[in-house]
Amino acid sequence: MATPTPTATLDLAACFPGAVSADARPGYKGWIIEKDKLVEVATAIRDELGYDHLTAVTGVDYLPEGKMEVVYNAFKTTGGPVLTFKVQVPRIDPVEVPSVTSVWPGAEFQEREAWDLMGIKFTNHPDLRRILMWEGFEGHPLRKDWKEAFYEEDAKPFKSRWPEGRHVMAEERSPFKDNITFPKDFDPEKWVPEGEEALYGALAKYQTEEDGLKTDHIVINMGPQHPSTHGVFRVALTVDGETIVSLKPVMGYLHRNHDKIGERNTFLQNMPFTDRLDYFNSMSNNFGYAVAVEKLMNIQVSERAEYIRVIMAELSRIQNHLVFIGMLGNDLGMMYTPALYAFEERELVLDIFEAASGSRMMCNYFRFGGVVRDLPEGVLQKINDLVFERLPGKVDELDRMLTENEVFISRMKGVKVIDAENAIRYSITGPVLRAAGVPYDIRRADPYSVYDRFDFDVAVRQNGDLMDNYLIRLDEVRQSLRILQQAVKQIPAGPVMPGKPQYQVRVPAGESYGRVESPKGELGYYVVSNGKPNPWRYHVRPPSFVNITALEQMCIGVKIADFIAILGVIDIVLGELDR
Amino acid sequence: MYGKGIFKGLSVTLNRFWTTYTEDIRWLFSGKKRYFNEDGVKARAGKDTKGIFTVQYPEERLIIPEEFRYVPFLVYDEGADGRKEVRCTSCGICSKVCPPQCIWIVRTNDPNTGRPVPQPAEFYIDADICMNCGFCAEYCPFDAIKMDHDFEIASYDRNVFNLDKLLKPAAYYESIRPLNAARENEARKAKEAAKAAKAEAA
Ligand code: SF4
Ligand code: SF4
């Protein structure tokens, strides 16, 4: 891993006179690119400046200014902070921005999301369909003038709760009275969903004409109710025999518009909602959001809290990877034995979360500037016992049980998931990227919290096949244990919150992109504040969602049975994918 | 040799299998109960746990840590004549901080002057919407609302808790969260002492 390069001197406006200007709004940083020059400048950013990995793409609706903005964040896989650049267009439909998928194919799904939720049309996008909302849905819910079915007020707290809070059942405020608008002449009796056609139309066709016989395309739908899809996730695929020709993921079954809820909430109220993203790792989710907002607030986190945060995040990574290995067993037909062994260790980790935060999965443990409470008595001892005495042995046991198993090896070895070049092109992060041979880990490349104080290696494997994707998880668990062993020894005494806990935090106007290395990849939060108690824009860049962009690329040409294993090693979780 | 890895793996499983018996036998000979018994449950959640791990809810229960949080309740102190002295002043902070906005409070107003009285007239928590985040308990300045330990509230109807259902005595609170309650009582006493000292000095 190269040391992060200093980027403070980078002046894009000077490099591209006339096409780029600095973003001068107070609290904002980065560059604003002219819409017509976007692809050209983006290509130069990638090729000449070395920002080869486009990580986050999202839209912001600046309704009062009459503008729409698309925000891009890119980084160098050799390390260093992200480069933020933006495109601004007037907020008059059709809002059109050129697609950057020709430069970074990994932008595909994120642009589709921005189209779906924000109504920003990306010209030259290969497959611009809705992605999270269903086909046939009217409107773009993340626009500031769009109101949801149970709309009450623009921002919480709602006035109806106090001091005259006479309870009304949520369901009594019927969503079909005034908040739902149907398209003109809409007749539900006659309506046929057209989305399915668009979906199947997007699947590639193939022809086998060599022997002169006409062949039918076989389209297979897997999911949304299928145990191998790890939740309500669906793929439509065409196969030639057993080989996958084309594949399109269908998602959004668990969509609740997390971003919109987040923009109605106050800054603090978002914290428990982040728990529900990747529900296996609520500690990491809290971490990312806290980092983003603390950047914006410009406050110092107390020392002890930093250590507690790292301990919790690493414990979370360990249990995530152990369960990953167990569930991978299920995907491969190795039913339940490894999964149950993994769950045993996970329970012990969750006991610690519960004792510290009050909940096993929905931890809601982080606050801006620290954590809710210090570790209760005995918890540090428990962590100590686990990371020194129990977990190392248990990881070895799992290793012994699976790694050398010949059946396992012949199933896993040599089945390609993705190679390094494509992994970068498709914006993949996390263990899948590292298994492909790219040693990129935010804890090292762009350190946050106190990760720069620990001695650990960035786990990396070279082949990018299923086997390496499994092995890298074992490596990472061992590295996490190393970090934990140092952290529990070094943890200083002191307060866990600077100052008094406040329920109304003051967040100065501006934007920030905070990112952490969650067990599944880069978890980013893009937050825009206009100085009010509620965020103007709150966006989550979930690793599961972005990693799935390359699913088709990974699966073309492989057997359908391998698809399940490939989906398994990407390690998706639907709470985060669908948001 | 092909198959060596498989045997190595199976030996792990076999070992685990045997351990379930040897553990049970070990407990039997030591004269302690491993199942349906608090010590047994505790040992199964300890760092050296091996053998059978499952806790057979509802006959057996996990030990609930003090900080465990579930749908909140309101605390009242028992007054001299057995009256319920509700701690809540209906200040409204909890209803403002609640992320899914499931706390509804009607403030009491003095019927003569119309001025607010520090007492809730009505207090509802829509427990089906409550996300058990614990914010209300965290930010209540009067220690009046606390997170419960009783998680068995599944029902066929909607769970909307009113004041009647929400009020629980301070003694109950002290029984589920002894350390927290002791800390808070101390802080309250210190505050009162400081107030008294100030009043004396004046
Ligand atoms: S419970 Fe506490 S925060 Fe809520 S209204 Fe009563 S005193 Fe205020
Ligand atoms: S625990 Fe959270 S969601 Fe439930 S009532 Fe309290 S603040 Fe609201």
Side-chain angles (χ1 to χ4, degrees):
Chain A
M1 183 88 257
T3 43
T5 42
T7 49
T9 51
L10 180 68
D11 186 359
L12 275 187
C15 302
F16 307 99
V20 181
S21 55
D23 191 345
R25 292 170 288 181
Y28 286 73
K29 50 192 177 310
W31 310 92
I32 297 177
I33 301 178
E34 288 303 311
K35 176 183 146 187
D36 307 326
K37 297 276 169 45
L38 175 65
V39 176
E40 190 186 317
V41 176
T43 313
I45 287 175
R46 182 193 65 184
D47 296 341
E48 283 157 37
L49 300 176
Y51 287 88
D52 47 356
H53 195 296
L54 180 73
T55 164
V57 182
T58 189
V60 188
D61 179 8
Y62 287 102
L63 180 64
E65 289 93 344
K67 272 189 288 198
M68 284 273 203
E69 188 175 278
V70 183
V71 186
Y72 304 84
N73 282 290
F75 63 76
K76 299 176 183 175
T77 45
T78 48
V82 291
L83 175 76
T84 309
F85 52 96
K86 301 153 196 174
V87 174
Q88 291 188 335
V89 282
R91 197 179 181 283
I92 302 161
D93 277 314
V95 179
E96 282 185 336
V97 172
S99 166
V100 293
T101 44
S102 58
V103 188
W104 292 285
E108 184 184 339
F109 281 14
Q110 295 191 73
E111 285 186 349
R112 270 177 72 185
E113 184 193 307
W115 155 244
D116 187 4
L117 303 182
M118 283 272 179
I120 300 170
K121 215 169 201 142
F122 290 90
T123 46
N124 291 332
H125 188 284
D127 183 24
L128 196 67
R129 289 179 289 121
R130 285 193 180 273
I131 189 163
L132 293 172
M133 305 306 292
W134 58 97
E135 293 291 337
F137 182 83
E138 273 281 314
H140 301 285
L142 267 185
R143 289 200 173 183
K144 285 288 176 184
D145 47 9
W146 193 92
K147 293 182 171 57
E148 64 274 25
F150 287 86
Y151 175 82
E152 249 189 281
E153 277 174 53
D154 273 346
K156 292 174 188 170
F158 298 145
K159 294 189 187 65
S160 62
R161 302 301 196 267
W162 178 87
E164 281 299 314
R166 284 176 219 285
H167 180 261
V168 185
M169 298 271 191
E171 58 270 29
E172 273 165 22
R173 288 186 285 114
S174 163
F176 296 105
K177 271 181 197 148
D178 21 37
N179 290 320
I180 290 255
T181 44
F182 292 106
K184 244 211 237 135
D185 308 323
F186 179 80
D187 183 356
E189 300 291 313
K190 293 194 188 116
W191 182 68
V192 194
E194 51 193 304
E196 297 294 283
E197 274 165 45
L199 165 66
Y200 297 130
L203 288 169
K205 305 282 180 293
Y206 67 97
Q207 223 129 38
T208 42
E209 300 244 328
E210 297 131 42
D211 44 10
L213 289 174
K214 265 182 92 180
T215 330
D216 249 354
H217 307 117
I218 297 182
V219 177
I220 295 182
N221 271 292
M222 290 185 77
Q225 272 95 19
H226 191 281
S228 74
T229 55
H230 295 244
V232 272
F233 178 73
R234 172 182 158 207
V235 287
L237 39 87
T238 36
V239 284
D240 176 10
E242 269 195 74
T243 311
I244 294 173
V245 178
S246 180
L247 173 155
K248 294 284 168 202
V250 186
M251 57 197 101
Y253 295 94
L254 207 62
H255 181 60
R256 58 241 186 234
N257 216 332
H258 186 84
D259 290 14
K260 187 87 177 180
I261 297 172
E263 287 164 21
R264 300 248 185 267
N265 282 344
T266 64
F267 281 93
L268 180 71
Q269 285 172 344
N270 274 339
M271 193 58 86
F273 277 94
T274 63
D275 292 342
R276 277 92 180 151
L277 287 166
D278 172 0
Y279 36 74
F280 275 96
N281 299 293
S282 60
M283 289 289 187
S284 315
N285 302 343
N286 284 185
F287 207 161
Y289 181 57
V291 165
V293 177
E294 279 155 8
K295 239 191 209 171
L296 207 50
M297 292 168 73
N298 204 5
I299 51 170
Q300 198 64 40
V301 182
S302 57
E303 269 300 284
R304 187 174 171 82
E306 290 279 28
Y307 276 83
I308 295 178
R309 286 176 171 197
V310 168
I311 289 173
M312 291 303 170
E314 293 310 313
L315 280 173
S316 188
R317 191 184 317 276
I318 290 174
Q319 58 88 18
N320 178 77
H321 285 353
L322 291 179
V323 171
F324 163 88
I325 293 169
M327 297 321 269
L328 182 67
N330 278 12
D331 286 341
L332 299 175
M334 193 164 40
M335 283 317 209
Y336 294 117
T337 307
L340 288 176
Y341 290 180
F343 266 95
E344 237 179 79
E345 306 318 310
R346 174 168 186 260
E347 285 305 308
L348 297 178
V349 173
L350 295 194
D351 282 346
I352 289 169
F353 290 174
E354 188 180 26
S357 76
S359 187
R360 298 178 87 78
M361 289 176 79
M362 303 295 129
C363 296
N364 185 21
Y365 188 51
F366 290 35
R367 297 289 176 272
F368 309 126
V371 293
V372 188
R373 63 180 75 79
D374 204 344
L375 298 173
E377 215 185 295
V379 172
L380 199 59
Q381 185 54 44
K382 260 187 165 166
I383 299 172
N384 218 47
D385 291 345
L386 276 193
V387 301
F388 281 102
E389 291 173 38
R390 184 173 177 97
L391 289 174
K394 290 292 164 183
V395 179
D396 291 344
E397 191 188 69
L398 212 56
D399 190 2
R400 220 170 34 247
M401 181 167 149
L402 295 173
T403 312
E404 283 174 40
N405 184 318
E406 284 84 356
V407 181
F408 188 67
I409 293 175
S410 55
R411 180 76 183 75
M412 305 276 284
K413 222 178 178 111
V415 180
K416 196 96 193 151
V417 177
I418 199 157
D419 55 31
E421 193 193 326
N422 276 318
I424 294 171
R425 273 166 25 92
Y426 279 95
S427 301
I428 285 176
T429 50
V432 185
L433 178 68
R434 292 190 286 274
V438 184
Y440 190 85
D441 186 322
I442 302 169
R443 291 174 293 172
R444 258 296 143 69
D446 185 14
Y448 52 96
S449 190
V450 288
Y451 276 108
D452 47 1
R453 301 188 196 166
F454 303 114
D455 187 21
F456 68 100
D457 299 322
V458 174
V460 65
R461 293 269 167 179
Q462 298 305 329
N463 301 322
D465 58 359
L466 287 175
M467 192 68 189
D468 275 6
N469 271 287
Y470 153 75
L471 289 171
I472 196 138
R473 263 68 179 208
L474 278 180
D475 299 345
E476 286 192 7
V477 171
R478 294 199 168 109
Q479 295 303 331
S480 288
L481 283 171
R482 260 176 85 186
I483 297 176
L484 279 166
Q485 288 169 351
Q486 295 164 52
V488 293
K489 274 196 194 140
Q490 293 171 11
I491 184 167
V496 292
M497 275 292 276
K500 264 187 139 181
Q502 284 174 314
Y503 74 94
Q504 262 170 339
V505 291
R506 202 174 297 278
V507 183
E511 57 159 11
S512 88
Y513 181 68
R515 55 188 194 139
V516 295
E517 185 71 36
S518 97
K520 296 179 164 78
E522 171 175 333
L523 176 63
Y525 289 84
Y526 179 73
V527 184
V528 177
S529 165
N530 55 358
K532 299 245 172 70
N534 312 73
W536 179 257
R537 179 81 177 96
Y538 163 81
H539 173 72
V540 187
R541 182 246 187 242
S544 297
F545 177 74
V546 183
N547 285 356
I548 223 78
T549 312
L551 191 62
E552 181 168 29
Q553 162 76 23
M554 291 172 183
C555 291
I556 287 178
V558 308
K559 295 267 185 292
I560 198 163
D562 290 337
F563 158 72
I564 290 165
I566 290 173
L567 188 69
V569 299
I570 302 175
D571 196 10
I572 58 168
V573 62
L574 272 293
E576 167 182 276
L577 199 139
D578 286 345
R579 280 158 298 143
Chain B
M1 189 192 72
Y2 193 88
K4 195 168 141 238
I6 295 176
F7 275 111
K8 202 167 153 189
L10 284 178
S11 74
V12 172
T13 334
L14 188 69
N15 189 9
R16 286 252 189 173
F17 177 68
W18 275 125
T19 312
T20 57
Y21 292 101
T22 52
E23 270 299 289
D24 282 0
I25 293 166
R26 201 170 62 80
W27 278 76
L28 197 70
F29 277 108
S30 70
K32 287 183 290 180
K33 272 182 84 179
R34 190 169 196 269
Y35 303 102
F36 309 107
N37 162 295
E38 201 175 301
D39 285 337
V41 173
K42 235 181 219 156
R44 268 178 277 164
K47 70 176 160 80
D48 297 319
T49 177
K50 50 187 175 179
I52 288 174
F53 186 76
T54 318
V55 171
Q56 311 229 14
Y57 178 84
E59 286 83 11
E60 295 179 303
R61 275 153 193 280
L62 284 171
I63 317 285
I64 294 179
E66 172 158 350
E67 297 298 348
F68 176 74
R69 52 182 152 82
Y70 207 69
V71 180
F73 64 95
L74 291 172
V75 186
Y76 70 84
D77 294 302
E78 259 145 324
D81 46 1
R83 254 178 349 120
K84 291 180 182 177
E85 288 176 8
V86 181
R87 286 187 187 173
C88 173
T89 62
S90 75
C91 69
I93 288 181
C94 56
S95 75
K96 285 179 205 154
V97 78
C98 174
Q101 296 284 290
C102 66
I103 302 182
W104 304 68
I105 306 170
V106 180
R107 192 172 55 193
T108 314
N109 288 328
D110 192 304
N112 301 322
T113 60
R115 295 253 285 281
V117 182
Q119 271 275 328
E122 288 171 52
F123 200 113
Y124 302 99
I125 293 182
D126 198 330
D128 295 328
I129 291 177
C130 171
M131 70 203 290
N132 308 321
C133 67
F135 276 169
C136 46
E138 215 176 305
Y139 294 102
C140 171
F142 301 99
D143 296 325
I145 189 165
K146 291 292 168 192
M147 299 305 285
D148 211 339
H149 276 188
D150 176 18
F151 54 88
E152 289 161 317
I153 62 164
S155 75
Y156 288 106
D157 303 311
R158 287 279 261 113
N159 291 302
V160 181
F161 294 170
N162 59 12
L163 206 48
D164 232 21
K165 170 102 190 179
L166 284 169
L167 278 173
K168 292 190 180 179
Y172 171 74
Y173 172 54
E174 276 157 31
S175 73
I176 60 168
R177 292 178 196 273
L179 296 176
N180 278 295
R183 246 194 324 265
E184 286 156 13
N185 284 340
E186 212 143 276
R188 237 196 330 272
K189 266 192 204 125
K191 223 182 196 172
E192 270 160 27
K195 220 182 191 175
K198 217 173 163 191
E200 221 160 84

